[in-house]
Structure formats: C-alpha cells, structure tokens
Amino acid sequence: ITVTDTLTLKIESILRLYCERIGIPTMKPREKAGVQLMMEKLLDDLLSDLKDTPERATGFREEDRLLLKYVLTLKGHNLRNRVAHGLMEAWEYNYFPNIVILLVILLRLSNYFKYFSLNWLIMKRQRIAAFFIYGQGNNQRHLRSSPL
C-alpha cells in the first residue's frame, strides 16, 4: 500500500462527502438485469454535478473540478481507475509527480471543509449506524430511506 493508492481513493470519498454536505445526491437509480437499483454515481457524474452554475451554486471552483477530472478520470490520466483496478506498474506507485499532484488536490479540497462541523459528522455516523441496526423500513421517524 502506497501513498498513491491511498490518496487516490480517499479523494473520491472526500468528493462524495462534500456532495452530501451541499445536498448533491451521490446515488442514482439504475436498471440492472431488469431490476431497479440505487447505485453510487460514477466519478464523472459527481464531477459534472459539482459544476458551479447560476442555476445551481455549488461553491466548487471550476479549476479544481477540471484538475480532478484531468487527474482522476478517463478524460486525463485516469488515475482513479488505474489504481482501483490494479492497472499501474509498480514504479508508478512511487512516481513523485503523482504523489505531489495528489497532495495538491488534497490541500485544495481541504478549503471546502473549513466550516465543516464536527457535530454534523457525529450525527451522520449515528444515522448510518442506526440504519444498519434498525433497517430501512423500521423507525421511519428517525431515518430516511437511505443512511445518508
């Protein structure tokens, strides 16, 4: 396990957390083998949803969105898929420019969490735990249809 694979996957988690925090759904319905399922959105979909427009202000800077798209998706280096699916050569995991750009991305993302409340994180973890303890159909007064 190296810095490259750890940070690459954590960056996607941070993006999903930010989307949840500002009210962008991270899941969407998909049909698979004739069955409707709720599945996590693809990274490209999340990055599209984060585009700051007059109709939907996300507070996400366009240069940060484009950097993420270029580094992590097929539109650029595709680092996220190459790490997640084990498609990198061993030397690439310790390739210094990859590590530097991932650290830059992490630092840039940290700007979006300046006002992130510790209480909000605690409540979120409690809601997720309650979802798994009581299930989706029970205790509707305290739970939504999903844990997030």
Side-chain angles (χ1 to χ4, degrees), residues 12-148:
E12 183 175 359
S13 296
I14 291 168
L15 282 175
R16 290 183 187 283
L17 184 62
Y18 181 73
C19 286
E20 290 171 10
R21 183 71 171 118
I22 64 171
I24 295 175
T26 61
M27 300 184 83
K28 72 177 185 180
R30 289 207 175 101
E31 189 173 318
K32 197 169 195 170
V35 177
Q36 271 297 80
L37 301 172
M38 287 299 284
M39 299 179 71
E40 289 289 337
K41 286 183 182 177
L42 301 174
L43 183 57
D44 275 325
D45 295 337
L46 283 179
L47 290 171
S48 292
D49 290 349
L50 278 171
K51 186 171 180 72
D52 195 33
T53 64
E55 297 82 31
R56 182 177 53 195
T58 64
F60 208 81
R61 293 175 27 186
E62 185 64 7
E63 53 269 20
D64 292 340
R65 196 181 72 80
L66 292 175
L67 175 65
L68 288 162
K69 193 172 203 107
Y70 180 73
V71 172
L72 299 178
T73 73
L74 194 55
K75 309 287 189 278
H77 290 289
N78 203 22
L79 193 57
R80 186 254 177 229
N81 279 339
R82 293 176 58 231
V83 166
H85 300 291
L87 302 175
M88 292 178 55
E89 298 290 330
W91 65 269
E92 291 179 284
Y93 285 98
N94 293 317
Y95 185 56
F96 190 69
N98 283 349
I99 295 169
V100 170
I101 196 66
L102 290 171
L103 289 172
V104 166
I105 289 172
L106 191 61
L107 288 171
R108 291 180 80 113
L109 289 176
S110 70
N111 288 319
Y112 295 100
F113 291 90
K114 286 181 183 173
Y115 306 106
F116 209 41
S117 162
L118 180 59
N119 289 335
W120 184 86
L121 284 172
I122 292 168
M123 289 184 337
K124 179 137 203 78
R125 288 188 187 274
Q126 289 171 341
R127 207 167 14 150
I128 290 170
F131 176 82
F132 288 109
I133 293 169
Y134 299 113
Q136 188 171 352
N138 299 328
N139 203 3
Q140 288 298 319
R141 290 175 290 143
H142 304 289
L143 299 175
R144 295 182 182 173
S145 61
S146 76
L148 304 176

